[in-house]
Amino acid sequence: MAIVANLNAIEAKCESERNAEEANGQLEPCILFMDSLLAQKLHDAEAIAANILSYLLRVWQQKQSERASKRAKADSDCGLAQSEPMDLGTQYTAILRALPLVRPQNPQQTNLVYCGLYVCQNVEELLIRWPDITKGHVQSGVLEGYSSDMYPAQSMKDKRVALEAEIRRLIAAASSD
């Protein structure tokens, strides 16, 4: 599971890089990579991060192009000479290109079939205790409250049984309608 965290902190990061003292303790944009199959080495975290970054850069460039077009149209509609081109956010783009990959510890699967359950559980854990990721966390790769024993393997078996029962209940309810 890969999540882009603190993307909205890029603007603050642009400002804080001008003033390094302010940067301490600020939220750090990054990509969280929580893989429950690390031992099997099935997922290439760097390749996944590169794909995410490529997508984010395309979206950013598209938004910048749309903003520039709207600004040019507004200038034209008002009878103004075309204003200077908008800064396309070179600092923002540079920060986006360099988003660090953070791999916090998380529980590992004991089989190859509970992937979806682990993704769901990791999302639940993130919603319960969203980490305020700072530069220190990015450098250490350690997030408080996230560890290999964050939840027991038995809870995945229990979750599977509960989900199966709910699916069966929904199927029965739908077929009785």
Side-chain angles (χ1 to χ4, degrees):
M1 176 175 77
I3 296 175
V4 179
N6 304 325
L7 193 57
N8 59 342
I10 289 181
E11 288 180 30
K13 185 172 174 67
C14 289
E15 290 299 318
S16 68
E17 284 190 354
R18 294 183 201 131
N19 184 355
E21 292 168 11
E22 285 181 19
N24 294 333
Q26 278 191 340
L27 295 179
E28 185 76 9
C30 64
I31 297 174
L32 282 179
F33 188 76
M34 298 174 75
D35 190 353
S36 62
L37 287 170
L38 283 176
Q40 286 76 21
K41 298 181 181 170
L42 298 175
H43 306 119
D44 183 345
E46 285 76 18
I48 292 167
N51 286 331
I52 290 170
L53 291 176
S54 175
Y55 168 78
L56 291 173
L57 284 166
R58 283 194 309 270
V59 168
W60 170 250
Q61 290 164 347
Q62 178 65 34
K63 285 185 177 188
Q64 289 303 311
S65 176
E66 289 169 6
R67 287 181 186 148
S69 295
K70 285 180 183 177
R71 185 172 178 185
K73 182 173 179 355
D75 287 351
S76 174
D77 290 349
C78 293
L80 300 172
Q82 192 168 1
S83 56
E84 290 296 312
M86 259 178 98
D87 177 335
L88 293 181
T90 53
Q91 188 176 14
Y92 187 101
T93 301
I95 291 170
L96 198 56
R97 285 183 196 278
L99 277 182
L101 184 62
V102 177
R103 300 176 202 201
Q105 289 187 2
N106 58 288
Q108 296 296 296
Q109 288 179 231
T110 56
N111 60 41
L112 295 174
V113 295
Y114 283 2
C115 302
L117 293 171
Y118 274 79
V119 168
C120 290
Q121 188 63 43
N122 284 330
V123 168
E124 285 181 36
E125 296 297 329
L126 284 169
L127 292 172
I128 291 167
R129 52 178 141 196
W130 181 259
D132 288 334
I133 304 166
T134 64
K135 191 171 208 152
H137 294 114
V138 168
Q139 290 169 342
S140 71
V142 175
L143 299 178
E144 292 87 11
Y146 290 81
S147 67
S148 58
D149 60 355
M150 188 164 53
Y151 47 87
Q154 181 61 42
S155 67
M156 293 296 92
K157 292 176 184 174
D158 296 342
K159 185 179 282 289
R160 182 186 176 282
V161 169
L163 281 171
E164 182 180 3
E166 181 63 13
I167 290 168
R168 289 183 188 281
R169 186 192 68 74
L170 290 170
I171 291 170
S175 63
S176 68
D177 288 342

